[in-house]
Amino acid sequence: MLIIGGGVIGLMTALELAQAGVQVRVLEQGAFVKEASWAGGGIVSPLYPWRYSSAVTALASWSQSAYSHLSQELKTATGIDPELRQKGLLILAVDDEQAALDWAQQYQRPLCRINNEQVKVLEPGIAVGHGALWMPEVASIRNPRLGQALLARCQQMANIQLHEHSAVTGFCIANGLVSAVESGSQSYRAEQVVLCAGAWTGQLAQFLQLALPIEPVKGQMLVLQTEQPSVERVVLGRGRYLIPRNDGLLLVGSTLEYEGFDKTPQEQARQSLFQSACELLPSLDKAKVLHHWAGLRPGSPNGIPWIGQMPGWHNLHINAGHFRNGLVLAPASCGLMADLLLQRVPRVNPAPYQPQTRLNEINQK
Ligand SMILES: Cc1cc2nc3c(=O)[nH]c(=O)nc-3n(C[C@H](O)[C@H](O)[C@H](O)COP(=O)(O)OP(=O)(O)OC[C@H]3O[C@@H](n4cnc5c(N)ncnc54)[C@H](O)[C@@H]3O)c2cc1C
């Protein structure tokens, strides 16, 4: 099995397959887990989850119940702690509250409305307005550590071969199948190929004359060092969020920009993110910005990932297009990809993610 792309999706897919006894090779164009999977914030929930389709909710719910075990397993096996913090998500300034409450009831997700006094009990420093929505079971994960732990776990597996700085530059086709994958002067034979190239998956598919609507969506973030303790929980308001880490650092995210593959952080975004952070938590006005960066999310229509076999290509598969939710969706998405490849009973209904379904939806528009 050959996997193209060594972000969280590629490595978790590799691990799922290797744990079932499959020989896996992963080709990564740069260093492992240094693109979106490193750049992201690590909230283990979609932002405003009720605004997503049932397809996204199904994967997110499965993953949320799996993350605690996965995180513990990785820590035990590698000694690297992905720092899963299950401290809840506080959502301020929501104007579609009833939709949120209806969604929570339909999917049995813990979510309730709380008043300003209750907000202050949870997060004393937060600027209150008209109460908040509270999701006590939502977690966050330190995604760069998750990436390090996944990589270390893959390195431990005798049946995974990892190749860094090995960009895929072409495919060899024989009898309607992908027979090999080219990386510069190297050629790797493959019985099955899985595209896990994140924001670059659309570009990669063009080598096979396939048009996939997966495009880069830039997101800029800051990390702040604060003098006083900031927040304990993830706090979201007007599309911007604060994510506390175990060592006291505070992440602020994020922008949403359609600018191709440009990853340059911009001063205007830095100021806007800092201002949003201060609006949520006024005491941050004296915080120091330690780092400012951007990553490229793999944007796809409705944020629904593409998981399954490419129509017309018996040995070409895809697990990509997770947009803003690749970290939360990863365990379910990669598990489902492995279920389909190994002909196991799928852990969630695969229909909404299948490339054929997604292409039909696009053609009907
Ligand atoms: C600012 C920001 C905040 C985010 N916050 C969250 C969050 O809080 N929660 C959440 O769930 N998600 C979040 N996300 C989204 C999440 O990070 C992504 O959906 C997820 O990381 C996608 O994983 P991936 O493995 O598909 O992509 P990537 O991590 O980008 O990995 C793809 C890999 O493929 C490699 N590649 C590309 N082309 C080739 C080629 N030709 N040959 C070989 N290798 C190739 C790339 O180098 C890259 O390493 C955020 C993203 C950003 C940018």
Side-chain angles (χ1 to χ4, degrees):
M1 198 81 64
L2 192 144
I3 293 176
I4 305 174
V8 158
I9 298 295
L11 291 188
M12 229 184 255
T13 304
L15 198 52
E16 277 281 348
L17 292 166
Q19 282 168 338
V22 177
Q23 285 286 341
V24 187
R25 189 190 294 281
V26 188
L27 300 182
E28 163 55 47
Q29 69 180 356
F32 285 104
V33 206
K34 285 285 183 272
E35 293 292 348
S37 301
W38 177 90
I43 305 172
V44 185
S45 168
L47 302 176
Y48 309 104
W50 58 92
R51 296 179 190 165
Y52 284 89
S53 65
S54 57
V56 171
T57 300
L59 292 178
S61 302
W62 195 97
S63 291
Q64 282 163 334
S65 25
Y67 247 114
S68 166
H69 177 70
L70 172 70
S71 164
Q72 191 54 49
E73 206 175 51
L74 287 172
K75 185 178 167 189
T76 307
T78 67
I80 301 168
D81 183 0
E83 294 185 19
L84 187 78
R85 287 169 60 99
Q86 195 166 11
K87 304 239 178 183
L89 169 66
L90 197 56
I91 312 175
L92 307 163
V94 170
D95 53 19
D96 55 351
E97 255 182 33
Q98 194 52 49
L101 295 165
D102 293 346
W103 171 87
Q105 192 175 30
Q106 183 185 351
Y107 292 101
Q108 308 267 295
R109 308 309 293 173
L111 180 153
C112 61
R113 191 177 199 294
I114 58 173
N115 61 29
N116 286 345
E117 288 70 39
Q118 291 167 309
V119 173
K120 284 284 182 194
V121 170
L122 289 170
E123 293 296 350
I126 283 292
V128 287
H130 303 284
L133 292 176
W134 170 230
M135 299 185 72
E137 290 190 0
V138 169
S140 64
I141 193 142
R142 193 162 189 160
N143 43 301
R145 301 272 165 95
L146 172 69
Q148 283 173 19
L150 268 176
L151 179 58
R153 186 73 191 103
C154 287
Q155 284 164 337
Q156 290 170 349
M157 303 291 292
N159 54 345
I160 301 184
Q161 285 177 283
L162 297 164
H163 302 259
E164 283 194 321
H165 307 293
S166 301
V168 170
T169 47
F171 295 88
C172 302
I173 312 297
N175 305 320
L177 296 173
V178 177
S179 57
V181 164
E182 291 166 354
S183 174
S185 57
Q186 291 276 351
S187 176
Y188 298 96
R189 291 191 62 76
E191 282 183 13
Q192 305 281 345
V193 175
V194 191
L195 308 182
C196 299
W200 293 264
T201 306
Q203 243 185 15
L204 199 58
Q206 282 173 12
F207 288 132
L208 295 159
Q209 269 79 52
L210 291 169
L212 287 182
I214 299 181
E215 59 174 337
V217 184
K218 180 176 174 181
Q220 301 191 48
M221 306 243 338
L222 307 177
V223 62
L224 307 183
Q225 188 172 44
T226 60
E227 277 172 18
Q228 308 144 8
S230 56
V231 286
E232 269 292 293
R233 290 145 193 93
V234 179
V235 178
L236 169 64
R238 301 188 203 288
R240 296 276 166 92
Y241 50 81
L242 308 175
I243 308 174
R245 298 297 198 214
N246 283 354
D247 56 8
L249 294 179
L250 186 70
L251 265 70
V252 183
S254 64
T255 64
L256 201 63
E257 303 162 66
Y258 291 80
E259 293 203 351
F261 288 93
D262 175 32
K263 278 198 303 180
T264 319
Q266 278 136 351
E267 181 56 28
Q268 196 190 355
R270 177 191 175 105
Q271 286 175 16
S272 161
L273 287 166
F274 191 79
Q275 187 183 336
S276 297
C278 295
E279 280 165 13
L280 287 169
L281 184 66
S283 65
L284 287 178
D285 62 349
K286 291 182 191 61
K288 185 173 158 201
V289 178
L290 288 186
H291 189 38
H292 171 202
W293 68 91
L296 299 175
R297 308 174 183 94
S300 59
N302 302 322
I304 302 174
W306 295 54
I307 310 168
Q309 186 204 312
M310 286 305 298
W313 293 87
H314 287 302
N315 71 339
L316 181 68
H317 312 267
I318 178 168
N319 188 8
H322 300 76
F323 195 27
R324 306 193 79 172
N325 298 310
L327 299 161
V328 53
L329 303 185
S333 176
C334 301
L336 176 60
M337 184 75 258
D339 294 340
L340 296 173
L341 287 164
L342 302 173
Q343 295 176 352
R344 300 189 300 216
V345 177
R347 61 200 64 201
V348 293
N349 173 12
Y353 323 102
Q354 270 165 352
Q356 185 67 67
T357 316
R358 309 301 314 284
L359 288 169
N360 292 345
E361 281 164 9
I362 291 163
N363 291 336
Q364 276 162 13
K365 280 190 182 156

